[in-house]
Amino acid sequence: MRADLNTPWRIGSVEIPTRLVLAPMAGVSVQAFRRQGRRYGAGLVCSEMVSCAGLSHKNERTLGYLRIGRDEHPLAVQIFGAEPRVMAEAARMVEAAGADLVDINFGCPVRKVTKTGAGASMLDEPARAAAIVESVAQAVDVPVCVKLRRGVPNGSRTALEVGPMLVQAGASSITLHPRSAQQMYTGTADHSLTAELVELVDIPVVASGDITSRERAESVLAETGCAAVMVGRAAQGNPWAVGEIAGIVDGHPSREEVVAELLLFMRDTVLEMGEQRATGFLKKFYGWYLGRGRFPKPFANELVRLATVEAVEERLLAAAPGASEVLAGLEADIPALDDVVLDLPVSIYAGG
């Protein structure tokens, strides 16, 4: 049976217009990235993960994660930590900032997160994980979601044991990335495990991992019975991948379209972070946007060496003059930033 990616679904009281979710990615999922994802058909967008300790201590840069634009909804803000009380406090701040969903990260495999007892390491402490979900669910009125890996070691099936416990504790949705924490991003995502989780719980399950095309998205939806699919690394500097999966573009942009989207992303990022911080932050995006055979590799390397965002803009427009007209069309259709952004500090990742 062919699955329809463009039908609405719900997480608790929140209606989501398409079955495509834009993943939370550290150092990537800033506001400009999320707004772009919504334009290209993502039904739900997610913030990069936010330290609940940073929110608890009112860290200025961490508070920057709570900048929410009116054109981002529905939006999930993802938090991580290891203490139920602190996580509940952070969740209340997320709700107060206007997020539609609070997402809890029990999936990050990165050492600097897991060594604190947070992220994927929480799968080794099911009782604590359930206590965190219960504490957060009791603290807020918005639905609470959880993102999991399959477990810490290769071949683990821990997610199938922990998932039902988290539902009982108050989770309204689970996203499963069926790689182990040990795998990081190597190998393949085993979505047979996703199908098993779907059978075990009575809440929506989102399938994450290796969703790189519309064909793959439809097959995972059909074969697992999941409610939605999540696209992550495939969307980095490549909103056309999101649009192709959503069925609204063909996934093969012109050079002018590539440069226009990159310029818009750059301008939004500068407005969000300030030019000094944005200059360093944006460098990784040049290769992502301009790669995939769109421009010669030395061109992206040249941009990385330029000292200012203004110099990068000039070089891009020299390479694709027709991008100016495309960019003007994009900007005409987007709400003014001062109409969509709350008055909060910049993102913690803006510092590089």
Side-chain angles (χ1 to χ4, degrees):
M1 179 183 298
R2 181 168 179 157
D4 187 354
L5 283 154
N6 294 309
T7 56
W9 59 294
R10 305 185 74 88
I11 298 179
S13 59
V14 177
E15 182 171 293
I16 301 166
T18 74
R19 295 179 182 268
L20 178 59
V21 182
L22 192 62
M25 291 178 282
V28 175
S29 299
V30 293
Q31 188 178 65
F33 181 80
R34 302 191 305 260
R35 295 176 76 198
Q36 183 185 68
R38 290 286 291 127
R39 286 193 292 113
Y40 275 84
L44 175 65
V45 295
C46 308
S47 77
E48 50 193 310
M49 62 181 183
V50 186
S51 165
C52 66
L55 290 178
S56 178
H57 293 122
K58 308 298 191 291
N59 178 279
E60 181 176 324
R61 289 194 181 179
T62 309
L63 287 171
Y65 283 114
L66 303 188
R67 295 167 60 100
I68 296 172
R70 296 185 184 93
D71 59 348
E72 295 185 66
H73 297 286
L75 167 75
V77 171
Q78 185 180 85
I79 57 176
F80 74 96
E83 296 299 328
R85 179 189 61 80
V86 179
M87 290 284 277
E89 180 184 351
R92 282 190 285 266
M93 295 176 70
V94 167
E95 180 181 39
D100 301 287
L101 303 160
V102 175
D103 191 43
I104 300 174
N105 185 301
F106 290 160
C108 180
V110 177
R111 174 63 181 163
K112 70 179 180 181
V113 172
T114 59
K115 71 180 181 182
T116 69
S121 65
M122 194 61 67
L123 291 166
D124 286 337
E125 296 188 72
R128 182 187 288 268
I132 286 174
V133 171
E134 182 176 16
S135 182
V136 169
Q138 290 177 352
V140 297
D141 292 326
V142 297
V144 175
C145 311
V146 184
K147 190 167 191 285
L148 306 174
R149 287 273 176 146
R150 66 180 299 159
V152 175
N154 290 338
S156 173
R157 295 172 58 83
T158 302
L160 302 183
E161 302 167 15
V162 175
M165 296 175 60
L166 302 183
V167 175
Q168 188 172 3
S172 294
S173 177
I174 293 174
T175 297
L176 178 63
H177 184 159
R179 283 183 172 90
S180 68
Q182 187 177 343
Q183 275 183 278
M184 298 291 286
Y185 296 98
T186 63
T188 58
D190 179 8
H191 284 294
S192 67
L193 205 73
T194 307
E196 291 188 62
L197 182 61
V198 169
E199 291 297 317
L200 288 173
V201 300
D202 59 359
I203 60 172
V205 172
V206 179
S208 174
D210 300 342
I211 307 299
T212 57
S213 68
R214 184 172 180 86
E215 181 182 14
R216 180 61 176 153
E218 289 177 339
S219 67
V220 169
L221 277 170
E223 293 166 10
T224 68
C226 66
V229 293
M230 178 175 282
V231 60
R233 288 173 293 160
Q236 293 176 347
N238 193 21
W240 302 277
V242 180
E244 186 269 332
I245 293 171
I248 61 176
V249 299
D250 66 4
H252 299 287
S254 68
R255 288 163 65 102
E256 290 74 19
E257 289 170 328
V258 170
V259 169
E261 282 291 351
L262 175 53
L263 288 171
L264 181 61
F265 182 82
M266 290 164 59
R267 292 179 182 183
D268 270 3
T269 302
V270 168
L271 287 169
E272 181 179 353
M273 299 181 175
E275 185 164 354
Q276 182 176 0
R277 287 173 172 160
T279 298
F281 175 83
L282 287 166
K283 290 183 184 296
K284 60 178 172 282
F285 286 89
Y286 302 148
W288 289 342
Y289 273 90
L290 304 175
R292 303 176 176 87
R294 295 167 182 164
F295 285 82
K297 186 173 181 179
F299 182 56
N301 294 336
E302 175 188 342
L303 299 184
V304 169
R305 293 192 294 269
L306 296 176
T308 66
V309 174
E310 182 180 3
V312 174
E313 282 208 16
E314 291 177 358
R315 186 67 187 89
L316 284 167
L317 287 172
S324 294
E325 184 176 348
V326 180
L327 176 61
L330 292 174
E331 290 182 323
D333 292 336
I334 296 173
L337 197 64
D338 61 1
D339 184 50
V340 299
V341 182
L342 300 179
D343 184 18
L344 287 166
V346 299
S347 161
I348 189 172
Y349 276 96

